[in-house]
Amino acid sequence: MNASRKNDLSTPVEQLHSNEQLKLRSRYLRGTLEQSLADPVSASIAADDALLTKFFGVYQQDDRDLREERRVSRLEPLYQFMVRVRLPGGVCTAEQWLALDAQARATANGELRLTTRQTFQFHGVLKHNLSRHLQGLVAAGLDTIAACGDDNRNVICTSNPLLSQAHAQATLTARTLSERLMPRTGAYREVLLQERAQPSPPENEEPLYGPTYLPRKFKIAIAVPPCNDVDIYAHDLGFVAIVERGAIAGYNVLVGGGMGMTHKVPATFPRLSSIAGFCDAADIGAVGEHTMCIQRDFGDRLDRAHARFKYTIEDRGIEWFKQELARRLGKPLQRARDFQFESNGDQYGWRQGEDGRWHGTLFIRNGRIADSPEAPLMSTLREIARQVPVTFALTTNQNVTLAGVAQADRARIDELLRAGGLQAIANSKALERHAMACVALPTCGLAMAESERYLPSLLSKLDILMSEVGLAGTPITIRMSGCPNGCSRPFLAEIGLVGKAPGKYNLYLGGTVRGERLNALHRENIGELQILDTLRPLLAAYARERSAGECFGDFLVRTGVVPMMLDGRRFQLAQSPAL
């Protein structure tokens, strides 16, 4: 434990990080946001207010492709907003899908983006449309509260609540946890939805969060083995469902995971979560709340780079956490139960659930729902929502499952997919079906390199290389991120590419298809030709020497190409100057 670290309970306000001071004086996230939104002169809002809107799922961005052009023309950047929906468990009705589709075309850029946190993002929302956009979502029974910010983010779980009784129970738990841990400030309705404001915020407006909320974001995931599509080890708090006689008896509790890091800063690193024990299903709400509040009370509020829960666990230890949780819970966690994962990908095509209904998972390239010359994807999904009784279940791999389909309706869906030309997308190559990218440029302000726009091009070249060495059709997990924050969870992939500079990436190798191991830094700051030249001999050796059923990441570890990586400290040790 780093005993020199202090938290907001013992540190003078003036010594806290500037973000903490901003939250404290913001009057429960109101700030000067009302004035910023009403300002007709600029398309932006004040910098402090832009930090506060994140708590409501709203990010101020600009089109970075046009920055220089607009600077030369003496115009302000082309400001716009990204809006993220709170959608616990990733489930929406056909009616809600149609409402989201309509809102994208009316007040955003005409597209929907599926995220790695099992929800929707809108891009290109202009300031004068922001309130109307949010009002449209609320009218559909949705909201964007806590989809970003220093709070509990969208709670994710193994996709498709209609697959089995256990999946339905997990999805309901995700929704219940999300509601329990949601901020209570009235600022969202008063300012962003433009409902009648209260004279002043009550002193106890946030009984759970308090006026400074959390030190950083907090992410919760629920997995139903044998599927680890949520990458359960990558989150602040994870619950692994233990299923007995078809129902969830309880959950193994995992704490302290997280993907983000900063290049060349050894004090920051990805970390796999640690197993703390087992709780009964009835206790999951209390365990979730107390765990989040432990981070509220002990997380670092001086250094935001050190403020995630993974550093609290790393500094203080898992035994400290178990004792603190037991004190608050009134009893200790039970001994963890056995479980096993088989993959962290999606199963495409049709599957039949316990009740006889069918569920079809569609591949969505990089999660982008839009019409294109290749296929009118957005229009086709709109027609499916209009014509067929179906539930839309988003996956954390940026795909969508058409769930709860009656046998009689399968043919109609297949007909609509064929008419829309979506069979080409459904039959995409193996590499692409197991690849994922974050948005990155041009809208993400943190991006150092391309990701979503570039990955398809790189995958095409890798497909050629795979065919040349005799691996055509072999699945390998590939993830690309435009910066080391790791939104696409690249540090768990068999091949991870993390943006370092325009056209340059750090290459990480050695993750697993089960999401249970970090990969290791293999090459630093390299471009496309070096990436391909590095992978060519490794893929050729894999084709010649792999064991039956051995995945690429396991092969690289077994043959000593990269070290076995299980925690963040070893991750950092692997990044030697000799690389």
Side-chain angles (χ1 to χ4, degrees):
M1 171 181 171
N2 188 340
S4 66
R5 295 281 180 187
K6 295 182 180 180
N7 60 58
D8 67 318
L9 301 179
S10 59
T11 304
V13 171
E14 61 272 13
Q15 294 181 21
L16 297 176
H17 189 277
S18 59
N19 285 49
E20 298 299 314
Q21 298 182 47
L22 170 63
K23 287 181 284 185
L24 190 61
R25 67 174 183 267
S26 72
R27 297 176 301 120
Y28 295 103
L29 309 180
R30 289 166 176 83
T32 59
L33 186 53
E34 188 172 9
Q35 296 91 315
S36 283
L37 290 173
D39 179 8
V41 176
S42 173
S44 70
I45 58 177
D48 281 355
D49 292 326
L51 292 175
L52 298 178
T53 60
K54 294 180 181 181
F55 289 80
F56 307 126
V58 176
Y59 271 88
Q60 179 169 280
Q61 301 177 332
D62 71 281
D63 190 331
R64 293 172 61 181
D65 285 348
L66 301 178
R67 274 186 184 176
E68 181 61 20
E69 175 184 328
R70 295 181 72 83
R71 185 191 67 78
V72 171
S73 302
R74 297 185 178 180
L75 297 171
E76 74 170 8
L78 188 58
Y79 288 113
Q80 53 194 281
F81 293 89
M82 180 272 282
V83 175
R84 184 179 297 152
V85 178
R86 183 179 67 92
L87 195 72
V91 179
C92 72
T93 65
E95 291 75 17
Q96 288 174 327
W97 183 279
L98 291 173
L100 291 161
D101 176 289
Q103 208 62 51
R105 290 178 287 124
T107 51
N109 67 352
E111 301 177 356
L112 287 170
R113 180 60 153 74
L114 310 184
T115 80
T116 58
R117 289 208 63 77
Q118 210 171 22
T119 188
F120 300 91
Q121 283 183 185
F122 298 87
H123 290 267
V125 180
L126 302 180
K127 186 171 83 170
H128 67 271
N129 282 329
L130 182 58
S131 289
R132 185 159 67 97
H133 185 84
L134 296 174
Q135 290 164 359
L137 298 179
V138 171
L142 301 168
D143 63 61
T144 64
I145 300 170
C148 314
D150 298 345
D151 44 36
N152 177 59
R153 299 285 184 93
N154 193 53
V155 181
I156 64 176
C157 77
T158 297
S159 61
N160 191 359
L162 305 180
L163 188 62
S164 72
Q165 176 186 344
H167 286 80
Q169 189 176 346
T171 301
L172 178 60
T173 298
R175 188 176 301 119
T176 302
L177 271 173
S178 180
E179 294 294 333
R180 180 168 182 159
L181 304 181
M182 191 169 68
R184 305 301 175 190
T185 173
Y188 183 69
R189 290 192 170 276
E190 295 166 19
V191 181
L192 290 173
L193 298 183
Q194 297 184 343
E195 297 181 358
R196 182 162 51 182
Q198 300 296 320
S200 62
E203 292 184 4
N204 63 342
E205 192 166 9
E206 291 287 10
L208 191 60
Y209 285 98
T212 51
Y213 295 82
L214 300 182
R216 286 292 296 271
K217 58 189 174 185
F218 193 84
K219 296 181 177 180
I220 299 177
I222 302 172
V224 182
C227 183
N228 186 25
D229 56 342
V230 299
D231 282 326
I232 195 69
Y233 295 98
H235 306 282
D236 299 272
L237 174 59
F239 293 103
V240 178
I242 303 301
V243 180
E244 297 177 356
R245 294 181 293 278
I248 297 176
Y251 299 86
N252 280 350
V253 180
L254 285 65
V255 295
M259 290 287 96
M261 58 170 285
T262 302
H263 289 311
K264 298 296 185 182
V265 181
T268 68
F269 47 83
R271 186 185 191 278
L272 298 182
S273 56
S274 305
I275 299 177
F278 171 89
C279 72
D280 294 327
D283 291 332
I284 188 173
V287 170
E289 178 178 323
H290 287 310
T291 300
M292 189 189 79
C293 289
I294 288 172
Q295 171 62 358
R296 177 199 65 193
D297 296 341
F298 291 96
D300 193 337
R301 293 184 184 266
L302 283 73
D303 180 3
R304 279 185 70 82
H306 187 261
R308 287 294 298 273
F309 190 41
K310 62 182 177 181
Y311 299 121
T312 306
I313 297 296
E314 187 75 12
D315 290 347
R316 295 175 178 268
I318 190 66
E319 291 304 319
W320 166 86
F321 167 78
K322 290 161 67 173
Q323 292 172 14
E324 181 65 21
L325 179 62
R327 184 184 69 80
R328 297 180 184 223
L329 193 61
K331 59 182 177 182
L333 294 175
Q334 303 168 46
R335 184 175 180 178
R337 309 282 181 88
D338 292 336
F339 65 94
Q340 187 172 0
F341 290 123
E342 294 178 357
S343 82
N344 63 348
D346 293 335
Q347 296 186 37
Y348 298 101
W350 289 104
R351 299 173 65 193
Q352 193 169 24
E354 284 183 351
D355 62 1
R357 288 183 292 176
W358 290 89
H359 316 281
T361 299
L362 303 178
F363 168 73
I364 308 295
R365 181 172 295 120
N366 290 328
R368 185 70 65 175
I369 304 286
D371 289 342
S372 70
E374 180 183 9
L377 175 60
M378 193 168 186
S379 297
T380 300
L381 291 174
R382 186 186 311 139
E383 285 306 307
I384 290 174
R386 284 173 175 168
Q387 298 185 33
V388 183
V390 65
T391 295
F392 288 82
L394 278 56
T395 82
T396 58
N397 291 303
Q398 302 173 312
N399 298 308
V400 64
T401 297
L402 307 175
V405 178
Q407 175 66 43
D409 292 323
R410 268 190 60 179
R412 180 58 180 150
I413 289 179
D414 286 336
E415 179 185 344
L416 288 168
L417 292 174
R418 282 193 298 271
L422 298 188
Q423 294 305 306
I425 294 179
N427 296 327
S428 59
K429 295 179 181 179
L431 279 186
E432 191 168 43
R433 290 198 304 272
H434 294 84
M436 189 157 61
C438 68
V439 173
L441 296 169
T443 53
C444 179
L446 300 177
M448 300 175 178
E450 294 280 2
S451 185
E452 178 187 344
R453 296 194 298 190
Y454 170 56
L455 183 59
S457 171
L458 179 63
L459 290 177
S460 295
K461 296 177 175 66
L462 282 172
D463 272 319
I464 295 172
L465 174 55
M466 294 275 284
S467 296
E468 290 175 352
V469 300
L471 291 173
T474 302
I476 295 176
T477 303
I478 301 176
R479 294 177 180 175
M480 177 177 282
S481 178
C483 80
N485 283 286
C487 293
S488 58
R489 304 189 290 276
F491 304 116
L492 292 171
E494 295 179 275
I495 299 175
L497 292 157
V498 177
K500 191 76 180 292
K504 300 292 184 179
Y505 300 85
N506 284 358
L507 173 64
Y508 296 83
L509 300 174
T512 78
V513 297
R514 299 170 297 281
E516 299 169 325
R517 182 176 67 225
L518 291 172
N519 49 28
L521 179 60
H522 186 66
R523 293 288 306 278
E524 223 178 336
N525 201 32
I526 59 176
E528 181 178 281
L529 291 179
Q530 293 167 300
I531 293 169
L532 296 173
D533 286 344
T534 299
L535 291 176
R536 182 175 286 106
L538 299 177
L539 291 168
Y542 175 55
R544 293 190 310 265
E545 304 167 17
R546 58 180 165 166
S547 303
E550 187 176 34
C551 74
F552 184 54
D554 290 341
F555 170 79
L556 295 177
V557 171
R558 177 175 64 82
T559 56
V561 174
V562 292
M564 173 80 77
M565 304 298 295
L566 294 177
D567 59 60
R569 287 168 295 182
R570 293 187 65 188
F571 184 100
Q572 286 296 332
L573 290 173
Q575 300 185 52
S576 66
L579 290 173

